[in-house]
Amino acid sequence: MKICIIAEGSYPYVTGGVSSWIQTIVTNMQDHEFIIYSIGAEKKAKGKFKYQLPPNVNFVEEVFLDDFTEEENKWGRDYKLTAKEKKALKSLLDSRQPDWNTLLSMFSGERIDSAVNFLKSKDFFDIVHEICLEKYEQVPFTDMFWSMRSMVLPLFICIKHPLPEADLYHSVSTGYAGVLGSLGKYMYQKPFLLTEHGIYTREREEEIIKAQWVKGFFKDLWIQYFYNMSTCAYDTADKVISLFQKNMEIQEELGCASSKISIIPNGVNFEDYQQLPARNSFNENGINIGAIVRVVPIKDIKTMIQSFAIVKQELPDAKFFILGPTDEDEEYYQECIRLVENLMIEDVIFTGEVNVRDYINQMDVLVLSSISEGQPLVLLEGMACGKPFVATDVGNCKGILLGERDDLGQAGIIVPVMQYVEMARAIILLCKDDRKRKKMGNIGRERAANFYTKKSFIDQYKQLYKDMVDRIWQE
């Protein structure tokens, strides 16, 4: 069959996490053809793939949220929307129950020629004006108009970009990717599968609350807008896959029907981590602490740096290896470098993008300090290699390390988010206790081998793809 995987902000431009997950899917299903529909933030990333695409990937359809031009057409065009269409558009901008069927119908047709032209139209202006008169009389109209315009422009760009026809649409998040999966089902009457790794809306909500570019009550407007997009995906999807129980419960709270949701955990190829080179002279007489991570704010590199400053005082021979790309957010990377310099810490090594298997067996303790996660693959990779973790209490980290499907015991230590002192204490405890490190490492290895194998993960998705398409053909 031909499967269209819809990814936002990940594959094939970013390594690790969701991108690794997609690469695993496509490389292990050679009997299917894949189209990758990739939504990126900036057009400058076009064609800059971080992965070697397997031969069963037919092509990558790229759409970028900054890919629009201000056409010279005059403002004020009238698209002659029906009353139902106007009400649907208004519901998207200022409602908790948007009429997605009408919206998808509007934008999938040819009447609305481009996202930018539509947002210059009399129709859009009048709807925003009506919303302001009804609810926001004290807000300057220009502020409201430009805020709402910037809010919906990326969505309209995605919807108006050609969506390839496929036998099945598989979105790997809600948000823009989830709406496009819904659009595929609407346009071609084909099944739509949603896999949610983290809870997209919660992640966007956290970002918006902290953001400087959106002020005051506009934050509420943006947050509700992202929740509306998730509702579209939950309502439209034929099946929704969660990676673990806690996230499934959150999806239900957000309105996804429990009958649609199944759990398929991530998996690693256990054998890949059993024949790695033995520990060598990376730091022959000291302790190696490692973090397999992209240097971006959501991974909270600064907390692990601050924790290592405390560790270094207690364990002068310790070294800290940050194993992962540094070019995704250059400004944040430079902030991390300055923090290391200001704290006057030695032996912090940013390796850049590397083959993790060249390093992972050289580490004594692995660290994850993320503010948000789903079910991190790096935890499973480290456990398969028999390495204990210190990780923040986000996503499924506690379930993986402490055990939610067995009574084997602890494979690491869980600490609160952004608490570098507690993180440092946990790292020091493991570094000083060789017996505890080995015990936790062995528990992690056994848990990974028993419950988180790549074979089980791939087999379940193969069956799921088959069942979904077979059901459509039978109908």
Side-chain angles (χ1 to χ4, degrees), residues 20-32 34 264-268 453-465:
S20 295
W21 183 93
I22 295 173
Q23 182 76 353
T24 300
I25 286 276
V26 296
T27 54
N28 285 275
M29 296 196 187
Q30 294 295 321
D31 49 341
H32 296 315
F34 287 91
I264 300 179
N266 283 332
V268 292
T453 65
K454 185 173 78 173
K455 183 180 185 307
S456 173
F457 152 65
I458 291 295
D459 286 348
Q460 288 182 78
Y461 269 99
K462 283 182 177 178
Q463 190 61 49
L464 183 59
Y465 284 163

mmCIF file of all heavy atoms in Angstrom, residues 20-32 34 264-268 453-465:
data_model
loop_
_atom_site.group_PDB
_atom_site.id
_atom_site.type_symbol
_atom_site.label_atom_id
_atom_site.label_comp_id
_atom_site.label_asym_id
_atom_site.label_seq_id
_atom_site.Cartn_x
_atom_site.Cartn_y
_atom_site.Cartn_z
ATOM 1 N N SER A 20 13.778 9.635 14.375
ATOM 2 C CA SER A 20 14.308 8.267 14.424
ATOM 3 C C SER A 20 13.190 7.248 14.339
ATOM 4 O O SER A 20 13.327 6.197 13.697
ATOM 5 C CB SER A 20 15.100 8.050 15.720
ATOM 6 O OG SER A 20 16.240 8.863 15.751
ATOM 7 N N TRP A 21 12.089 7.572 14.983
ATOM 8 C CA TRP A 21 10.917 6.683 14.979
ATOM 9 C C TRP A 21 10.394 6.515 13.547
ATOM 10 O O TRP A 21 10.114 5.395 13.108
ATOM 11 C CB TRP A 21 9.868 7.295 15.897
ATOM 12 C CG TRP A 21 8.621 6.501 16.090
ATOM 13 C CD1 TRP A 21 8.368 5.599 17.077
ATOM 14 C CD2 TRP A 21 7.428 6.567 15.290
ATOM 15 N NE1 TRP A 21 7.090 5.092 16.945
ATOM 16 C CE2 TRP A 21 6.498 5.668 15.856
ATOM 17 C CE3 TRP A 21 7.060 7.289 14.163
ATOM 18 C CZ2 TRP A 21 5.228 5.485 15.322
ATOM 19 C CZ3 TRP A 21 5.790 7.105 13.626
ATOM 20 C CH2 TRP A 21 4.897 6.214 14.208
ATOM 21 N N ILE A 22 10.275 7.619 12.806
ATOM 22 C CA ILE A 22 9.795 7.541 11.423
ATOM 23 C C ILE A 22 10.779 6.757 10.561
ATOM 24 O O ILE A 22 10.381 5.910 9.752
ATOM 25 C CB ILE A 22 9.582 8.950 10.841
ATOM 26 C CG1 ILE A 22 8.451 9.670 11.584
ATOM 27 C CG2 ILE A 22 9.262 8.877 9.340
ATOM 28 C CD1 ILE A 22 8.275 11.124 11.198
ATOM 29 N N GLN A 23 12.071 7.018 10.728
ATOM 30 C CA GLN A 23 13.080 6.294 9.945
ATOM 31 C C GLN A 23 12.992 4.793 10.212
ATOM 32 O O GLN A 23 13.134 3.976 9.289
ATOM 33 C CB GLN A 23 14.483 6.825 10.280
ATOM 34 C CG GLN A 23 15.615 6.187 9.502
ATOM 35 C CD GLN A 23 15.722 6.669 8.060
ATOM 36 O OE1 GLN A 23 14.861 7.399 7.581
ATOM 37 N NE2 GLN A 23 16.770 6.263 7.372
ATOM 38 N N THR A 24 12.742 4.432 11.452
ATOM 39 C CA THR A 24 12.592 3.017 11.797
ATOM 40 C C THR A 24 11.379 2.406 11.093
ATOM 41 O O THR A 24 11.445 1.288 10.560
ATOM 42 C CB THR A 24 12.455 2.845 13.321
ATOM 43 O OG1 THR A 24 13.619 3.360 13.957
ATOM 44 C CG2 THR A 24 12.294 1.387 13.697
ATOM 45 N N ILE A 25 10.271 3.137 11.086
ATOM 46 C CA ILE A 25 9.046 2.646 10.419
ATOM 47 C C ILE A 25 9.312 2.391 8.941
ATOM 48 O O ILE A 25 9.035 1.296 8.409
ATOM 49 C CB ILE A 25 7.902 3.674 10.581
ATOM 50 C CG1 ILE A 25 7.349 3.663 12.006
ATOM 51 C CG2 ILE A 25 6.782 3.411 9.563
ATOM 52 C CD1 ILE A 25 6.312 2.624 12.312
ATOM 53 N N VAL A 26 9.846 3.391 8.235
ATOM 54 C CA VAL A 26 9.948 3.271 6.769
ATOM 55 C C VAL A 26 11.017 2.265 6.355
ATOM 56 O O VAL A 26 10.872 1.569 5.343
ATOM 57 C CB VAL A 26 10.194 4.648 6.100
ATOM 58 C CG1 VAL A 26 9.000 5.572 6.334
ATOM 59 C CG2 VAL A 26 11.486 5.298 6.557
ATOM 60 N N THR A 27 12.087 2.148 7.127
ATOM 61 C CA THR A 27 13.148 1.209 6.742
ATOM 62 C C THR A 27 12.789 -0.236 7.064
ATOM 63 O O THR A 27 13.374 -1.155 6.496
ATOM 64 C CB THR A 27 14.482 1.559 7.448
ATOM 65 O OG1 THR A 27 14.280 1.630 8.858
ATOM 66 C CG2 THR A 27 15.038 2.872 6.943
ATOM 67 N N ASN A 28 11.819 -0.440 7.939
ATOM 68 C CA ASN A 28 11.451 -1.804 8.319
ATOM 69 C C ASN A 28 10.134 -2.261 7.693
ATOM 70 O O ASN A 28 9.598 -3.295 8.087
ATOM 71 C CB ASN A 28 11.370 -1.912 9.845
ATOM 72 C CG ASN A 28 12.734 -1.936 10.497
ATOM 73 O OD1 ASN A 28 13.357 -2.984 10.612
ATOM 74 N ND2 ASN A 28 13.222 -0.761 10.895
ATOM 75 N N MET A 29 9.644 -1.501 6.737
ATOM 76 C CA MET A 29 8.422 -1.899 6.031
ATOM 77 C C MET A 29 8.644 -1.761 4.531
ATOM 78 O O MET A 29 7.973 -0.959 3.862
ATOM 79 C CB MET A 29 7.230 -1.051 6.500
ATOM 80 C CG MET A 29 6.884 -1.256 7.959
ATOM 81 S SD MET A 29 5.240 -0.615 8.337
ATOM 82 C CE MET A 29 5.210 -0.801 10.116
ATOM 83 N N GLN A 30 9.569 -2.527 4.013
ATOM 84 C CA GLN A 30 9.942 -2.425 2.605
ATOM 85 C C GLN A 30 8.830 -2.880 1.662
ATOM 86 O O GLN A 30 8.877 -2.603 0.463
ATOM 87 C CB GLN A 30 11.211 -3.241 2.345
ATOM 88 C CG GLN A 30 12.452 -2.711 3.050
ATOM 89 C CD GLN A 30 12.870 -1.330 2.552
ATOM 90 O OE1 GLN A 30 12.793 -1.052 1.363
ATOM 91 N NE2 GLN A 30 13.296 -0.475 3.458
ATOM 92 N N ASP A 31 7.819 -3.582 2.185
ATOM 93 C CA ASP A 31 6.719 -4.019 1.327
ATOM 94 C C ASP A 31 5.685 -2.917 1.117
ATOM 95 O O ASP A 31 4.730 -3.090 0.372
ATOM 96 C CB ASP A 31 6.043 -5.265 1.913
ATOM 97 C CG ASP A 31 5.713 -5.121 3.384
ATOM 98 O OD1 ASP A 31 6.297 -4.247 4.048
ATOM 99 O OD2 ASP A 31 4.865 -5.890 3.884
ATOM 100 N N HIS A 32 5.853 -1.762 1.761
ATOM 101 C CA HIS A 32 4.959 -0.619 1.557
ATOM 102 C C HIS A 32 5.729 0.536 0.921
ATOM 103 O O HIS A 32 6.945 0.668 1.109
ATOM 104 C CB HIS A 32 4.366 -0.133 2.887
ATOM 105 C CG HIS A 32 3.492 -1.140 3.567
ATOM 106 N ND1 HIS A 32 2.539 -1.867 2.900
ATOM 107 C CD2 HIS A 32 3.420 -1.530 4.869
ATOM 108 C CE1 HIS A 32 1.903 -2.661 3.760
ATOM 109 N NE2 HIS A 32 2.434 -2.485 4.954
ATOM 110 N N PHE A 34 6.095 4.725 0.782
ATOM 111 C CA PHE A 34 5.828 5.844 1.681
ATOM 112 C C PHE A 34 6.017 7.170 0.960
ATOM 113 O O PHE A 34 6.911 7.329 0.127
ATOM 114 C CB PHE A 34 6.756 5.803 2.900
ATOM 115 C CG PHE A 34 6.419 4.725 3.888
ATOM 116 C CD1 PHE A 34 7.005 3.467 3.781
ATOM 117 C CD2 PHE A 34 5.514 4.956 4.911
ATOM 118 C CE1 PHE A 34 6.688 2.455 4.675
ATOM 119 C CE2 PHE A 34 5.195 3.950 5.810
ATOM 120 C CZ PHE A 34 5.785 2.698 5.696
ATOM 121 N N ILE A 264 0.881 1.531 21.767
ATOM 122 C CA ILE A 264 1.999 0.809 21.157
ATOM 123 C C ILE A 264 3.277 1.508 21.605
ATOM 124 O O ILE A 264 3.585 2.605 21.137
ATOM 125 C CB ILE A 264 1.919 0.792 19.616
ATOM 126 C CG1 ILE A 264 0.640 0.125 19.138
ATOM 127 C CG2 ILE A 264 3.139 0.066 19.035
ATOM 128 C CD1 ILE A 264 0.486 0.092 17.615
ATOM 129 N N PRO A 265 4.021 0.922 22.525
ATOM 130 C CA PRO A 265 5.245 1.587 23.008
ATOM 131 C C PRO A 265 6.344 1.566 21.959
ATOM 132 O O PRO A 265 6.325 0.761 21.022
ATOM 133 C CB PRO A 265 5.629 0.758 24.240
ATOM 134 C CG PRO A 265 5.013 -0.575 24.011
ATOM 135 C CD PRO A 265 3.757 -0.340 23.218
ATOM 136 N N ASN A 266 7.296 2.482 22.131
ATOM 137 C CA ASN A 266 8.480 2.478 21.276
ATOM 138 C C ASN A 266 9.302 1.215 21.511
ATOM 139 O O ASN A 266 9.115 0.505 22.505
ATOM 140 C CB ASN A 266 9.347 3.705 21.563
ATOM 141 C CG ASN A 266 8.770 4.970 20.943
ATOM 142 O OD1 ASN A 266 8.089 4.903 19.931
ATOM 143 N ND2 ASN A 266 9.042 6.104 21.550
ATOM 144 N N GLY A 267 10.234 0.975 20.615
ATOM 145 C CA GLY A 267 11.093 -0.197 20.781
ATOM 146 C C GLY A 267 12.465 0.033 20.171
ATOM 147 O O GLY A 267 12.632 0.874 19.285
ATOM 148 N N VAL A 268 13.445 -0.693 20.663
ATOM 149 C CA VAL A 268 14.806 -0.637 20.121
ATOM 150 C C VAL A 268 15.245 -2.056 19.750
ATOM 151 O O VAL A 268 14.723 -3.034 20.270
ATOM 152 C CB VAL A 268 15.806 -0.035 21.133
ATOM 153 C CG1 VAL A 268 15.535 1.427 21.363
ATOM 154 C CG2 VAL A 268 15.775 -0.799 22.458
ATOM 155 N N THR A 453 10.943 -3.936 22.506
ATOM 156 C CA THR A 453 11.727 -4.392 21.355
ATOM 157 C C THR A 453 11.207 -3.782 20.060
ATOM 158 O O THR A 453 9.999 -3.543 19.898
ATOM 159 C CB THR A 453 11.677 -5.926 21.223
ATOM 160 O OG1 THR A 453 10.338 -6.328 20.925
ATOM 161 C CG2 THR A 453 12.160 -6.594 22.498
ATOM 162 N N LYS A 454 12.129 -3.554 19.149
ATOM 163 C CA LYS A 454 11.753 -3.002 17.847
ATOM 164 C C LYS A 454 10.850 -3.970 17.087
ATOM 165 O O LYS A 454 9.913 -3.545 16.401
ATOM 166 C CB LYS A 454 13.004 -2.689 17.026
ATOM 167 C CG LYS A 454 12.697 -1.990 15.705
ATOM 168 C CD LYS A 454 13.951 -1.548 14.986
ATOM 169 C CE LYS A 454 14.635 -2.685 14.280
ATOM 170 N NZ LYS A 454 15.767 -2.227 13.444
ATOM 171 N N LYS A 455 11.099 -5.249 17.205
ATOM 172 C CA LYS A 455 10.290 -6.237 16.471
ATOM 173 C C LYS A 455 8.819 -6.136 16.862
ATOM 174 O O LYS A 455 7.927 -6.118 16.007
ATOM 175 C CB LYS A 455 10.801 -7.655 16.738
ATOM 176 C CG LYS A 455 10.043 -8.723 15.943
ATOM 177 C CD LYS A 455 10.571 -10.115 16.221
ATOM 178 C CE LYS A 455 9.889 -11.156 15.332
ATOM 179 N NZ LYS A 455 8.411 -11.107 15.394
ATOM 180 N N SER A 456 8.544 -6.053 18.146
ATOM 181 C CA SER A 456 7.163 -5.954 18.605
ATOM 182 C C SER A 456 6.516 -4.668 18.102
ATOM 183 O O SER A 456 5.369 -4.667 17.631
ATOM 184 C CB SER A 456 7.121 -5.997 20.127
ATOM 185 O OG SER A 456 5.824 -5.745 20.606
ATOM 186 N N PHE A 457 7.250 -3.573 18.198
ATOM 187 C CA PHE A 457 6.760 -2.269 17.754
ATOM 188 C C PHE A 457 6.428 -2.284 16.260
ATOM 189 O O PHE A 457 5.339 -1.880 15.842
ATOM 190 C CB PHE A 457 7.846 -1.240 18.118
ATOM 191 C CG PHE A 457 7.930 -0.015 17.261
ATOM 192 C CD1 PHE A 457 6.906 0.907 17.223
ATOM 193 C CD2 PHE A 457 9.070 0.229 16.519
ATOM 194 C CE1 PHE A 457 7.012 2.055 16.446
ATOM 195 C CE2 PHE A 457 9.183 1.364 15.741
ATOM 196 C CZ PHE A 457 8.140 2.281 15.707
ATOM 197 N N ILE A 458 7.322 -2.818 15.422
ATOM 198 C CA ILE A 458 7.106 -2.858 13.976
ATOM 199 C C ILE A 458 5.961 -3.819 13.629
ATOM 200 O O ILE A 458 5.091 -3.505 12.797
ATOM 201 C CB ILE A 458 8.391 -3.258 13.237
ATOM 202 C CG1 ILE A 458 9.444 -2.141 13.346
ATOM 203 C CG2 ILE A 458 8.113 -3.583 11.783
ATOM 204 C CD1 ILE A 458 9.051 -0.851 12.655
ATOM 205 N N ASP A 459 5.934 -4.980 14.257
ATOM 206 C CA ASP A 459 4.878 -5.960 13.972
ATOM 207 C C ASP A 459 3.495 -5.382 14.260
ATOM 208 O O ASP A 459 2.536 -5.622 13.500
ATOM 209 C CB ASP A 459 5.085 -7.230 14.794
ATOM 210 C CG ASP A 459 6.236 -8.085 14.272
ATOM 211 O OD1 ASP A 459 6.715 -7.805 13.152
ATOM 212 O OD2 ASP A 459 6.651 -9.016 14.986
ATOM 213 N N GLN A 460 3.365 -4.635 15.339
ATOM 214 C CA GLN A 460 2.062 -4.054 15.684
ATOM 215 C C GLN A 460 1.630 -3.012 14.657
ATOM 216 O O GLN A 460 0.444 -2.943 14.294
ATOM 217 C CB GLN A 460 2.125 -3.437 17.085
ATOM 218 C CG GLN A 460 2.195 -4.481 18.198
ATOM 219 C CD GLN A 460 2.208 -3.850 19.570
ATOM 220 O OE1 GLN A 460 1.174 -3.434 20.081
ATOM 221 N NE2 GLN A 460 3.389 -3.755 20.171
ATOM 222 N N TYR A 461 2.563 -2.208 14.167
ATOM 223 C CA TYR A 461 2.204 -1.206 13.164
ATOM 224 C C TYR A 461 1.900 -1.854 11.815
ATOM 225 O O TYR A 461 0.991 -1.412 11.093
ATOM 226 C CB TYR A 461 3.296 -0.144 13.026
ATOM 227 C CG TYR A 461 3.049 1.029 13.950
ATOM 228 C CD1 TYR A 461 3.718 1.124 15.169
ATOM 229 C CD2 TYR A 461 2.121 2.015 13.623
ATOM 230 C CE1 TYR A 461 3.464 2.174 16.036
ATOM 231 C CE2 TYR A 461 1.868 3.065 14.485
ATOM 232 C CZ TYR A 461 2.543 3.153 15.685
ATOM 233 O OH TYR A 461 2.277 4.188 16.546
ATOM 234 N N LYS A 462 2.615 -2.899 11.453
ATOM 235 C CA LYS A 462 2.298 -3.621 10.213
ATOM 236 C C LYS A 462 0.869 -4.142 10.249
ATOM 237 O O LYS A 462 0.114 -4.003 9.274
ATOM 238 C CB LYS A 462 3.271 -4.790 10.020
ATOM 239 C CG LYS A 462 4.651 -4.395 9.518
ATOM 240 C CD LYS A 462 5.514 -5.638 9.316
ATOM 241 C CE LYS A 462 6.875 -5.274 8.736
ATOM 242 N NZ LYS A 462 7.748 -6.455 8.565
ATOM 243 N N GLN A 463 0.488 -4.733 11.363
ATOM 244 C CA GLN A 463 -0.861 -5.266 11.486
ATOM 245 C C GLN A 463 -1.895 -4.146 11.494
ATOM 246 O O GLN A 463 -2.972 -4.277 10.882
ATOM 247 C CB GLN A 463 -0.975 -6.097 12.771
ATOM 248 C CG GLN A 463 -2.272 -6.891 12.884
ATOM 249 C CD GLN A 463 -2.419 -7.902 11.752
ATOM 250 O OE1 GLN A 463 -1.496 -8.666 11.467
ATOM 251 N NE2 GLN A 463 -3.578 -7.903 11.094
ATOM 252 N N LEU A 464 -1.573 -3.052 12.156
ATOM 253 C CA LEU A 464 -2.494 -1.924 12.217
ATOM 254 C C LEU A 464 -2.732 -1.331 10.836
ATOM 255 O O LEU A 464 -3.882 -1.071 10.443
ATOM 256 C CB LEU A 464 -1.915 -0.859 13.155
ATOM 257 C CG LEU A 464 -2.766 0.379 13.422
ATOM 258 C CD1 LEU A 464 -4.107 0.018 14.037
ATOM 259 C CD2 LEU A 464 -2.008 1.333 14.345
ATOM 260 N N TYR A 465 -1.662 -1.103 10.071
ATOM 261 C CA TYR A 465 -1.806 -0.613 8.696
ATOM 262 C C TYR A 465 -2.710 -1.538 7.877
ATOM 263 O O TYR A 465 -3.621 -1.098 7.176
ATOM 264 C CB TYR A 465 -0.442 -0.517 8.023
ATOM 265 C CG TYR A 465 0.421 0.657 8.422
ATOM 266 C CD1 TYR A 465 1.785 0.651 8.144
ATOM 267 C CD2 TYR A 465 -0.098 1.783 9.052
ATOM 268 C CE1 TYR A 465 2.600 1.722 8.482
ATOM 269 C CE2 TYR A 465 0.709 2.857 9.396
ATOM 270 C CZ TYR A 465 2.057 2.820 9.110
ATOM 271 O OH TYR A 465 2.862 3.884 9.434
#
